[in-house]
Amino acid sequence: MAVQCGIVGLPNVGKSTLFNALTSAGAASANYPFCTIEPNTGVVDVPDQRLAHLAEIVKPHRILPASQEFVDIAGLVRGASKGEGLGNAFLTNIRDTDAIVQVVRCFEDGDITHVEGTINPERDLGIIETELMLKDLEGVEKGLDRNRKLSKSSGSNKEAAHLVAILERVYAALNDGKWASSVGLKAEERFAIKSYGLITLKPMLLVGNIAEADIRNPEGNTHYAALTRIAAERNCPVVPICSKLEAEIQELPPEERPMFLEEAGLAEPGLDVLIHASYRLLGLQTYFTAGVKEVRAWTIRVGDTAPQAAGVIHTDFEKGFIRAQVFAYQDFIQYKGELGAKDAGKMRTEGKEYIVQDGDVMHFLFSN
């Protein structure tokens, strides 16, 4: 399943440093605005210890983790919605993503210029969110004008009238300084206006980029503490990360990283926390297939049925779905694999209505 998280923020907040650490893709990172011009894309593995435990039992030829795609997008400045800086390109690139990871600078460093001159998370968030809302407002206004004319000219154009009703609610929210997501649109209403590519309908995760000295106690950083308060008010997830330190960790040999993490006061890499948080933000979960050829994690959406899960492997699996053999992950581990779990009566046969659970180990039966 191809899903993208766009990494956004003002210039010089540490976006590209974070992206480099995430993907080891070597995206440019420097101390001047608009260092990132064209968006950089990288695919990262979703950390999951369950794969290793499954592999210990199955002894596969290879292990394939789930993956997540991140896009490093050019920094945004005031007036972006009107074309300032790289505004139009920036906003177009965000529209192509499924979720937004907004990096907010929470560290002081006189050697790294802040585009606004001072560190102020609330102001920085306000700049970005205002520009996103203004761009959406522009698109909604055009949509309203067009569909109002259609509904009046044709008299019985129910589709245009339906779009007007939805867009009017979205317009009211945006005009009031609120995100389109605050309207509480139903799934079918979201689908109806999908072509408008509204940025403020996307889920957002905040990343507070802190200094290394703040890792053991992020809340002791007044800037990050302010960011967490804002995030709580907006019901938005937030994670603290020191992008500079994470980039240094990625440069170390794998065997040296655990000791480095311990010395830095981290239970796990901040990148792992971010990847898992973005996975949850997108409403994603994992199921496994476990055989001698490979143990593999597959990405599906929370609430997907067994046929939909099968379709991630191949569309023919979904079309010809008959049933699924399912083992709960814990049962598979406890009884040392498929045979042991079967003998213990832990294998279930599930049909088309089964809602797949995170961690399910599955086999699919299908007709050609």
Side-chain angles (χ1 to χ4, degrees):
M1 177 180 293
V3 289
Q4 285 188 337
C5 287
I7 302 177
V8 306
L10 295 176
N12 284 4
V13 297
K15 294 184 299 81
S16 294
T17 302
L18 178 63
F19 177 80
N20 287 346
L22 273 169
T23 65
S24 301
S29 173
N31 180 27
Y32 56 89
F34 310 124
C35 174
T36 301
I37 298 176
E38 293 299 323
N40 298 295
T41 301
V43 178
V44 304
D45 292 341
V46 177
D48 196 329
Q49 288 298 317
R50 294 176 297 183
L51 278 169
H53 297 151
L54 290 170
E56 285 177 10
I57 293 170
V58 178
K59 311 295 184 188
H61 295 309
R62 63 176 182 171
I63 302 172
L64 294 175
S67 61
Q68 180 69 281
E69 191 168 326
F70 288 88
V71 184
D72 179 25
I73 298 172
L76 176 150
V77 295
R78 291 181 190 273
S81 58
K82 303 299 181 184
E84 291 296 324
L86 299 170
N88 289 327
F90 172 96
L91 293 162
T92 298
N93 292 331
I94 297 177
R95 279 181 172 160
D96 293 336
T97 65
D98 299 287
I100 298 171
V101 175
Q102 184 173 170
V103 182
V104 182
R105 182 169 166 179
C106 296
F107 66 89
E108 301 277 357
D109 189 331
D111 294 329
I112 301 178
T113 305
H114 190 292
V115 70
E116 290 289 321
T118 58
I119 311 301
N120 186 323
E122 185 170 10
R123 177 205 59 211
D124 293 355
L125 275 172
I127 292 172
I128 295 230
E129 293 185 350
T130 296
E131 297 301 330
L132 299 186
M133 286 187 287
L134 286 173
K135 195 64 178 179
D136 277 357
L137 197 59
E138 178 185 307
V140 170
E141 284 177 331
K142 291 178 181 177
L144 276 171
D145 289 342
R146 181 169 60 254
N147 285 288
R148 280 171 178 159
K149 290 175 183 176
L150 284 172
S151 62
K152 289 177 182 177
S153 61
S154 59
S156 60
N157 192 325
K158 293 182 179 179
E159 182 180 351
H162 181 55
L163 283 172
V164 168
I166 299 170
L167 292 172
E168 282 180 341
R169 291 163 60 200
V170 173
Y171 179 87
L174 292 169
N175 199 45
D176 196 33
K178 299 175 182 177
W179 278 45
S181 57
S182 70
V183 176
L185 297 178
K186 297 176 182 177
E188 58 269 25
E189 292 174 324
R190 282 175 169 261
F191 183 78
I193 61 171
K194 184 178 180 181
S195 63
Y196 290 87
L198 298 183
I199 302 168
T200 60
L201 268 180
K202 301 180 188 296
M204 183 170 69
L205 167 70
L206 298 177
V207 173
N209 191 8
I210 59 176
E212 186 173 347
D214 297 319
I215 287 174
R216 293 179 185 274
N217 181 27
E219 293 289 347
N221 176 318
T222 56
H223 300 306
Y224 182 72
L227 184 62
T228 59
R229 287 194 297 273
I230 297 166
E233 292 169 2
R234 303 180 189 189
N235 196 28
C236 178
V238 58
V239 295
I241 286 183
C242 176
S243 295
K244 182 172 177 287
L245 181 70
E246 296 293 332
E248 292 173 0
I249 292 172
Q250 295 307 304
E251 293 176 357
L252 294 172
E255 63 272 14
E256 295 181 15
R257 293 175 188 176
M259 183 180 296
F260 188 89
L261 288 169
E262 185 178 349
E263 291 176 353
L266 290 170
E268 62 179 323
L271 298 183
D272 289 7
V273 175
L274 171 59
I275 294 168
H276 288 141
S278 66
Y279 210 64
R280 291 192 298 272
L281 182 72
L282 287 161
L284 303 177
Q285 64 179 8
T286 300
Y287 78 88
F288 302 103
T289 52
V292 175
K293 286 188 177 181
E294 67 178 29
V295 166
R296 181 164 183 168
W298 299 89
T299 300
I300 59 172
R301 297 193 183 279
V302 174
D304 276 358
T305 61
Q308 289 172 318
V312 173
I313 298 176
H314 197 288
T315 53
D316 288 347
F317 284 24
E318 182 172 5
K319 292 175 184 176
F321 179 89
I322 299 173
R323 61 183 181 274
Q325 295 176 333
V326 184
F327 303 87
Y329 168 78
Q330 291 296 345
D331 291 336
F332 195 95
I333 298 300
Q334 181 180 346
Y335 296 102
K336 307 299 181 184
E338 184 175 316
L339 290 178
K342 278 184 179 179
D343 291 342
K346 297 298 183 179
M347 186 189 84
R348 308 191 312 276
T349 299
E350 302 287 359
K352 293 182 179 181
E353 303 303 317
Y354 176 66
I355 304 298
V356 179
Q357 301 300 302
D358 184 65
D360 278 351
V361 182
M362 307 183 74
H363 293 302
F364 299 104
L365 285 79
F366 66 100
S367 59
N368 293 322

